[in-house]
Amino acid sequence: MKSLMDKCCDKCQSTVENQCQGYIKCRLEGPFCHQDEGCKEKRAAFLAGINIPAGSDKKKILICAGTGCISSGSLKVSDKLVEELEKAGLTGQVKVTTTGCHGFCEQGPIFIVEPQHVFYTRVQPEDVAEIVESHLKNGQVVERLLFHEPSTGQTVLEYNNVNFYARQQREVLHNCGHIDADSIDEYVANGGYLGLTKVLSGMSPTDVVEEVKKSGLRGRGGGGFPSGLKWQFTQQAAGDKKYVVCNADEGDPGAFMDRSVLEGDPHSVIEGMLICGYAIGADEGYVYVRAEYPLAIKRLTTAIEKAEQYGLLGKNILGSGFSFKLKIKAGAGAFVCGEETALLNSIEGLRGMPRPRPPFPAVKGLWEKPTNINNVETFANVPLIFRKGADWYAGIGTEKSKGTKVFALTGKVNNTGLAEVPMGITMREIIFEIGGGIQGGKKFKAVQIGGPSGGCLPENLLDLPIDYDSLTQAGAMMGSGGLVIMDETTCMVDLARFFLNFTQKESCGKCIPCREGTKRMLEILERICDGQGRQGDIETLERLGNTIKSASLCGLGQTAPNPVLATLRYFRSEYEDHINEKKCIAGVCSALLTYFIDEELCKGCSKCAKVCPAGAITGVVKEPYKIDTDKCIKCGACIDSCKFGAVKRG
Amino acid sequence: MSMVTLTINGQKVTVPEGSTVLEAAEKLGISIPTFCHDPNLTKPGACRICVVEVQGARNLPASCVTPVTGGMVVETHSAAVLEARRTILDLILANHPLDCLTCEKSGACKLQEYAYEYGVAGTTFDGERHDYPLDDSNPYIVRDMNKCILCGKCVRACTEIKGQHAVDFARRGFETKVSAPLDNPLGESECVFCNNCVTVCPVGALSDKQLLGKGRAFEVEKEPVTCTFCDAGCEFDVVKRKGKVLGVAAKAAAVGRPLCLKGRLGLDFIHNPGRVNPPLMKDDNGQWVETPWEAALGLSEVVAKLARLKD
Ligand SMILES: Cc1cc2nc3c(=O)[nH]c(=O)nc-3n(C[C@H](O)[C@H](O)[C@H](O)COP(=O)(O)O)c2cc1C
Ligand code: SF4
Ligand code: SF4
Ligand code: SF4
Ligand code: FES
């Protein structure tokens, strides 16, 4: 046995062509078809090598090899570790595993010692020798490399006690960062393909659809459409050929949950797609991944090869008669290609432009065949539902939004990264407990949720339990789960301008309200930020925004005005200040700022006067200097040049 | 075929299942504006000028691509619909040269028609406008992309009817445009001059060079004829002004009516003094003589018999 997936002895009758129904269970508890203590022990030993039991004298090091940690040098750390272990003669005792993303990339490279869960962060190659010598050889934890809680400054030993993780409920991400994504053995050892086993050993396609409906799972790609219902539509659509498509386009700026799942646990997506294929009667699937995710594509390719090698993709899977093949399509990275019908066009080799719906993909999808499209995270939820049960799943979350959601936390919070939390949690818990509060002790202002399609929530909505419906009601949107935290230094008009600039550039250009309307909204916002706002601009933005929302063809146009309308709803006075008072209270819109010199602080060094390109600063050496606001071009060079902090902007 | 009954503007109408709201409205004589819709081409639902209000729908769906359902309640000219249509026209005009006075399309332009119908005299926006150079490179077609409203009809006509696919959309956002591959001028494309695109363009972005400056829709008469150059027998319009033939234009974009270059350019024959009208046959001396049609077609006997039978 070289792999957990191999047969224990020649008595095993399972082959790829004629696979045993209990193939997966047998890897964990087998053999079943013959009594042999030797075979049983072999399997148990193999499993213990993967998940090292607590109290064992062996150790396993998890080094994150997600995109984030690789870019902070984790592969060099792991090379160095292998080298140092060899030098120390510990190679047999300590297993080194490179994993997918832990979601805490800013602390990378992340280095975990199992089975004790010791959590080292920002480990560099030069730290490795010390960890090996002190911790792995002599059992002495290296204090200085432990994580420091930003709010308290205290060090934390185990990752599950770090605030960032303690408040999370990692279900979809349970394998991410904890298994070697390239190893099908590790996936199976942790319950992988048990969901599929359950489905293929006795459930009818309708049972499967009913189970998904019962779980309450809703699409994680943005819209939150009930997944069971979508599967049912595709199942009931007439057609001899059907497709399953996984949407891994992930175009929201700042979102990377889908990438992390594909990089850290690709088999969970394959398993979810297999279950869906069986339920709707499809024998072929596509994963549409953006080409900017080369590592995700590589890991997924390996996972597909492994699944094919062991008969979990291909013909007659688990002896059930169900066959399924899976292909990857690399997308060229247009935001609109994440829209499901544009995505289908793109797979077909056409320009990524949305199609009118109806007909919905469930009826006429890929090459006009009934097609079920779900998001990566949606598919990754599916195996859990079958392994742990729909009732268990439906027990998590709120009345209408079940399960967990992975959020990408960015912006002005102390801990940024991926956080998986139960639906119904409040924004306050995410930002102040998981996120560790606002950076630099500044004041929280708003959180943008749902990326360019979403909206912002102000401070008085921090205690809103978040689910699909509460967010939509508040003028935001779950979207893919991007959370950008903003403090008092963020200008809300500028924020709206930023997102509209994105959607305008990414509009496919097909329909007039979106293509031309977002352009005019953007121009108005640019004007307001530039101090050229006029009376009536706010009303025009609202009028235009509402027309674009109601008359556009696809979700991009239908949601593009949201960031503007939401900021107008909660921060209208900022717009009014920009237009009427020509003031930007956050100090962001440079055209609206005036520069002046604080006479108390100015030492009269003349440095600012020398750097000012407009010659707007004059004065006598050793006496306070002055800025002529008429001449000032607001470039900010003086502020950067003053050593005494005497130049002010406001 | 099963039928579906719905209510449009308070009137009940019954249409075959699978019809669109636009078709159902047409049946009631209600006119809904369209730019990108053409019954002979696939339906992209792109321009959104045809939006209507459907009771219970979240947004304003485009009537040209929305299938009817039983009991559907539709308003084609409600306040919300008018607001959306006016905004769309306003947005088009914000990026459209208003040179109707000299535009070839004047009088047959859909933008002009709807601006009049909906009372949109100009744009309320001031901002960037496209400033593309005139594309005069094609021997038979002039393209003014500043007038293009990106309805995509030319792309579909060229791809779906001619199968030529000489043009398609390029770029994204405000920069989106219809272009030949590599943004080359149309003269350096795969264009075969079928002029299907010119026929379908709802505005003055594409013009037939032959007809340039010779008269606008309201100044010319059109006479439908069948082309005799080959046995395809394409139907087209002979465009005349004060009785003088100016040119030939395709009637509509449709399969079987591709209107080839021969048909359009063979026009010179009409004014050729050497053109032969009655049939000629060689007499016994080998000389060409005018002959009645019956004789030329070898049908003299048959015609004579028919004449006898008629008596
Ligand atoms: C402009 C636009 C971009 C989108 N991008 C994505 C994306 O990157 N990933 C995704 O899963 N869904 C995206 N969607 C949503 C998809 O259209 C579709 O609803 C989703 O893939 C369905 O899967 P779900 O039901 O599992 O959420 C996007 C939608 C729009 C309108
Ligand atoms: S709404 Fe925007 S992105 Fe969607 S089809 Fe229209 S132009 Fe394209
Ligand atoms: S003339 Fe015909 S071939 Fe040329 S671009 Fe127009 S439709 Fe295409
Ligand atoms: S050139 Fe005419 S037909 Fe072609 S997209 Fe533009 S407006 Fe439509
Ligand atoms: S005519 Fe219906 S969308 Fe253009």
Side-chain angles (χ1 to χ4, degrees):
Chain A
M1 250 173 74
K2 282 208 199 98
S3 154
L4 184 65
M5 309 304 279
D6 292 339
K7 36 176 79 188
C8 51
C9 69
D10 281 342
K11 284 191 217 115
C12 171
Q13 297 296 308
S14 183
T15 59
V16 167
E17 294 76 31
N18 204 350
Q19 205 168 25
C20 175
Q21 236 189 25
Y23 176 77
I24 295 294
K25 272 205 180 120
C26 179
R27 305 304 102 179
L28 304 171
E29 301 157 15
F32 299 130
C33 64
H34 58 282
Q35 280 292 336
D36 188 325
E37 282 312 306
C39 290
K40 225 180 178 79
E41 272 162 33
K42 256 198 285 184
R43 291 231 170 271
F46 222 107
L47 289 168
I50 294 173
N51 292 329
I52 298 183
S56 161
D57 55 349
K58 296 217 164 125
K59 286 194 170 53
K60 179 171 171 179
I61 311 288
L62 303 175
I63 295 182
C64 180
T67 294
C69 282
I70 288 181
S71 64
S72 54
S74 69
L75 295 182
K76 286 200 194 100
V77 172
S78 100
D79 289 348
K80 183 81 179 161
L81 179 63
V82 171
E83 191 187 312
E84 291 291 330
L85 287 173
E86 204 156 308
K87 267 200 239 160
L90 286 173
T91 309
Q93 286 300 97
V94 181
K95 182 176 171 187
V96 181
T97 300
T98 48
T99 70
C101 178
H102 289 262
F104 209 12
C105 313
E106 59 151 26
Q107 293 296 328
I110 284 176
F111 187 111
I112 293 178
V113 185
E114 295 286 23
Q116 292 84 8
H117 315 321
V118 175
F119 187 58
Y120 293 124
T121 56
R122 298 195 174 153
V123 175
Q124 293 302 313
E126 46 283 14
D127 301 324
V128 172
E130 187 182 348
I131 298 178
V132 171
E133 180 62 24
S134 163
H135 185 161
L136 302 179
K137 218 169 169 183
N138 301 320
Q140 207 53 43
V141 169
V142 183
E143 280 280 329
R144 67 174 182 92
L145 294 172
L146 291 176
F147 178 67
H148 294 250
E149 208 60 80
S151 45
T152 60
Q154 276 172 346
T155 56
V156 187
L157 183 65
E158 298 172 13
Y159 63 79
N160 31 4
N161 291 332
V162 168
N163 281 343
F164 181 73
Y165 292 113
R167 284 288 296 138
Q168 293 194 40
Q169 181 172 352
R170 290 171 84 90
E171 303 288 352
V172 169
L173 300 179
H174 74 287
N175 276 335
C176 285
H178 296 279
I179 67 167
D180 174 357
D182 284 336
S183 160
I184 191 168
D185 290 17
E186 298 209 4
Y187 181 66
V188 169
N190 287 289
Y193 292 112
L194 281 178
L196 179 70
T197 302
K198 184 170 167 200
V199 165
L200 293 186
S201 44
M203 290 182 83
S204 72
T206 308
D207 292 343
V208 176
V209 168
E210 286 307 317
E211 192 76 359
V212 177
K213 276 164 100 176
K214 200 164 111 192
S215 74
L217 175 65
R218 292 171 68 173
R220 301 294 193 249
F225 191 82
S227 308
L229 203 56
K230 197 191 266 190
W231 290 23
Q232 187 178 20
F233 291 150
T234 324
Q235 184 193 44
Q236 289 171 351
D240 44 0
K241 174 85 189 175
K242 296 181 185 177
Y243 292 97
V244 178
V245 173
C246 174
N247 189 341
D249 192 52
E250 197 162 53
D252 281 12
F256 63 108
M257 49 287 277
D258 294 348
R259 189 190 78 203
S260 286
V261 171
L262 287 174
E263 287 178 4
D265 199 12
H267 284 284
S268 67
V269 179
I270 298 177
E271 188 179 353
M273 291 183 76
L274 277 161
I275 295 174
C276 176
Y278 174 75
I280 67 165
D283 65 351
E284 195 172 347
Y286 279 89
V287 184
Y288 185 88
V289 200
R290 51 178 36 224
E292 293 95 324
Y293 283 0
L295 186 60
I297 293 177
K298 189 165 149 255
R299 298 243 166 100
L300 188 62
T301 307
T302 307
I304 290 175
E305 282 166 9
K306 287 278 166 71
E308 283 170 349
Q309 183 185 342
Y310 295 111
L312 294 163
L313 278 172
K315 292 218 159 68
N316 193 18
I317 297 165
L318 295 178
S320 65
F322 167 62
S323 304
F324 196 79
K325 61 181 171 199
L326 196 53
K327 294 177 183 156
I328 298 175
K329 167 82 191 175
F335 177 59
V336 73
C337 285
E339 195 282 335
E340 56 188 24
T341 57
L343 183 148
L344 294 176
N345 274 351
S346 178
I347 296 182
E348 290 179 20
L350 304 170
R351 178 176 158 101
M353 270 178 151
R355 309 171 179 173
R357 297 176 309 175
F360 286 92
V363 178
K364 253 190 189 186
L366 195 55
W367 291 295
E368 309 229 316
K369 305 291 180 204
T371 302
N372 185 85
I373 307 177
N374 279 122
N375 163 262
V376 171
E377 193 185 330
T378 314
F379 279 125
N381 270 283
V382 171
L384 293 174
I385 293 171
F386 287 89
R387 188 149 56 84
K388 300 191 176 185
D391 290 327
W392 164 81
Y393 192 87
I396 308 169
T398 63
E399 194 198 334
K400 291 203 175 134
S401 303
K402 301 297 186 187
T404 60
K405 175 78 193 94
V406 184
F407 289 101
L409 202 56
T410 56
K412 307 282 177 64
V413 271
N414 280 314
N415 301 328
T416 61
L418 284 189
E420 182 176 351
V421 290
M423 296 274 188
I425 194 172
T426 64
M427 203 52 93
R428 190 183 298 282
E429 289 169 282
I430 297 183
I431 299 171
F432 291 93
E433 294 180 26
I434 296 171
I438 307 299
Q439 282 171 9
K442 288 219 168 66
K443 201 169 149 357
F444 168 84
K445 184 170 189 179
V447 47
Q448 173 77 17
I449 172 160
S453 321
C456 63
L457 299 178
E459 195 177 2
N460 63 9
L461 289 178
L462 273 178
D463 293 311
L464 183 80
I466 38 185
D467 66 16
Y468 290 104
D469 313 292
S470 66
L471 286 176
T472 309
Q473 244 169 32
M477 196 173 125
M478 182 79 77
S480 59
L483 292 181
V484 186
I485 316 302
M486 292 161 290
D487 66 11
E488 53 204 335
T489 63
T490 309
C491 166
M492 301 314 275
V493 188
D494 182 62
L495 176 88
R497 185 194 57 77
F498 170 84
F499 281 116
L500 214 67
N501 184 42
F502 177 84
T503 33
Q504 154 60 211
K505 288 214 163 69
E506 292 294 331
S507 158
C508 83
K510 183 168 178 172
C511 65
I512 296 166
C514 171
R515 180 187 71 235
E516 308 288 332
T518 55
K519 171 74 179 175
R520 300 307 162 203
M521 283 182 82
L522 176 62
E523 284 176 339
I524 294 173
L525 291 169
E526 281 170 343
R527 214 170 58 209
I528 296 177
C529 289
D530 205 30
Q532 309 292 319
R534 303 176 198 151
Q535 296 305 321
D537 275 352
I538 293 182
E539 292 71 20
T540 306
L541 284 174
E542 281 174 332
R543 186 173 59 84
L544 203 47
N546 286 324
T547 302
I548 297 170
K549 273 176 76 112
S550 61
S552 290
L553 169 65
C554 86
L556 191 150
Q558 287 163 8
T559 58
N562 283 353
V564 184
L565 298 177
T567 46
L568 272 170
R569 178 164 163 186
Y570 297 118
F571 297 94
R572 197 182 188 90
S573 66
E574 271 191 48
Y575 281 82
E576 288 163 352
D577 285 351
H578 278 72
I579 296 170
N580 302 334
E581 319 288 330
K582 306 287 177 225
K583 254 177 96 161
C584 171
I585 52 160
V588 173
C589 298
S590 59
L592 298 183
L593 303 175
T594 46
Y595 288 76
F596 58 92
I597 292 173
D598 186 330
E599 294 191 3
E600 304 278 296
L601 296 175
C602 178
K603 302 265 191 264
C605 75
S606 86
K607 207 158 182 188
C608 56
K610 289 201 186 98
V611 300
C612 175
I617 309 180
T618 49
V620 181
V621 177
K622 298 222 169 112
E623 275 175 40
Y625 274 61
K626 258 203 157 56
I627 299 179
D628 179 347
T629 42
D630 289 339
K631 281 192 187 160
C632 169
I633 56 163
K634 302 174 182 180
C635 68
C638 50
I639 283 208
D640 300 336
S641 74
C642 181
K643 277 196 234 152
F644 312 102
V647 185
K648 298 260 155 97
R649 176 167 50 196
Chain B
M1 188 184 291
S2 60
M3 304 294 281
V4 174
T5 301
L6 66 156
T7 308
I8 303 181
N9 300 352
Q11 290 170 266
K12 283 216 167 3
V13 59
T14 304
V15 289
E17 191 181 354
S19 309
T20 61
V21 171
L22 180 69
E23 287 158 350
E26 264 165 16
K27 195 170 169 194
L28 285 174
I30 298 169
S31 106
I32 298 177
T34 64
F35 282 123
C36 70
H37 176 75
D38 187 313
N40 297 313
L41 302 172
T42 54
K43 302 178 173 70
C47 73
R48 317 307 287 177
I49 195 76
C50 72
V51 290
V52 292
E53 201 168 326
V54 174
Q55 210 175 70
R58 199 163 36 102
N59 294 322
L60 301 175
S63 59
C64 67
V65 288
T66 302
V68 292
T69 53
M72 196 180 220
V73 179
V74 181
E75 286 294 329
T76 63
H77 287 74
S78 67
V81 169
L82 295 183
E83 161 75 10
R85 290 200 190 132
R86 290 197 178 112
T87 306
I88 289 170
L89 291 168
D90 190 346
L91 286 169
I92 296 176
L93 294 180
N95 188 20
H96 195 92
L98 286 183
D99 59 0
C100 300
L101 292 183
T102 51
C103 183
E104 287 297 319
K105 197 75 177 185
S106 191
C109 171
K110 284 203 167 191
L111 180 55
Q112 205 180 42
E113 180 187 337
Y114 300 145
Y116 175 80
E117 185 178 339
Y118 289 87
V120 180
T123 183
T124 56
F125 301 104
D126 49 359
E128 190 182 341
R129 287 165 173 270
H130 287 308
D131 188 15
Y132 298 124
L134 195 78
D135 181 0
D136 197 16
S137 62
N138 186 302
Y140 302 103
I141 298 167
V142 183
R143 293 201 319 157
D144 183 352
M145 281 299 124
N146 298 311
K147 290 184 181 172
C148 172
I149 60 165
L150 293 168
C151 72
K153 271 185 184 170
C154 56
V155 174
R156 280 171 288 138
C158 190
T159 309
E160 293 169 13
I161 292 173
K162 190 63 203 147
Q164 198 65 18
H165 208 160
V167 288
D168 206 333
F169 290 101
R171 307 199 183 149
R172 284 198 289 258
F174 189 66
E175 304 306 321
T176 310
K177 64 173 182 172
V178 171
S179 109
L182 307 174
D183 213 354
N184 276 334
L186 196 62
E188 290 162 36
S189 71
E190 296 292 303
C191 172
V192 294
F193 323 120
C194 72
N195 276 31
N196 264 314
C197 56
V198 177
T199 305
V200 294
C201 182
V203 292
L206 302 175
S207 316
D208 184 332
K209 251 191 198 173
Q210 269 198 315
L211 297 174
L212 218 56
K214 292 190 181 156
R216 289 155 297 172
F218 45 86
E219 294 165 314
V220 299
E221 309 97 56
K222 284 185 175 174
E223 188 191 319
V225 284
T226 306
C227 177
T228 53
F229 278 101
C230 80
D231 54 10
C234 300
E235 283 182 26
F236 53 79
D237 282 330
V238 172
V239 183
K240 296 181 187 172
R241 185 171 186 181
K242 296 191 181 128
K244 180 163 161 67
V245 174
L246 302 174
V248 172
K251 276 170 75 78
V255 188
R257 279 185 256 141
L259 186 55
C260 69
L261 206 53
K262 201 158 44 164
R264 259 179 310 117
L265 301 184
L267 186 73
D268 299 352
F269 283 135
I270 299 179
H271 302 300
N272 190 326
R275 183 176 157 185
V276 182
N277 254 329
L280 300 178
M281 280 181 88
K282 281 190 182 164
D283 66 8
D284 297 342
N285 304 324
Q287 291 297 312
W288 289 107
V289 290
E290 285 193 9
T291 318
W293 277 107
E294 296 93 316
L297 295 170
L299 296 174
S300 306
E301 266 180 54
V302 180
V303 172
K305 265 188 197 160
L306 284 172
R308 272 203 306 278
L309 280 175
K310 210 173 139 200
D311 298 337

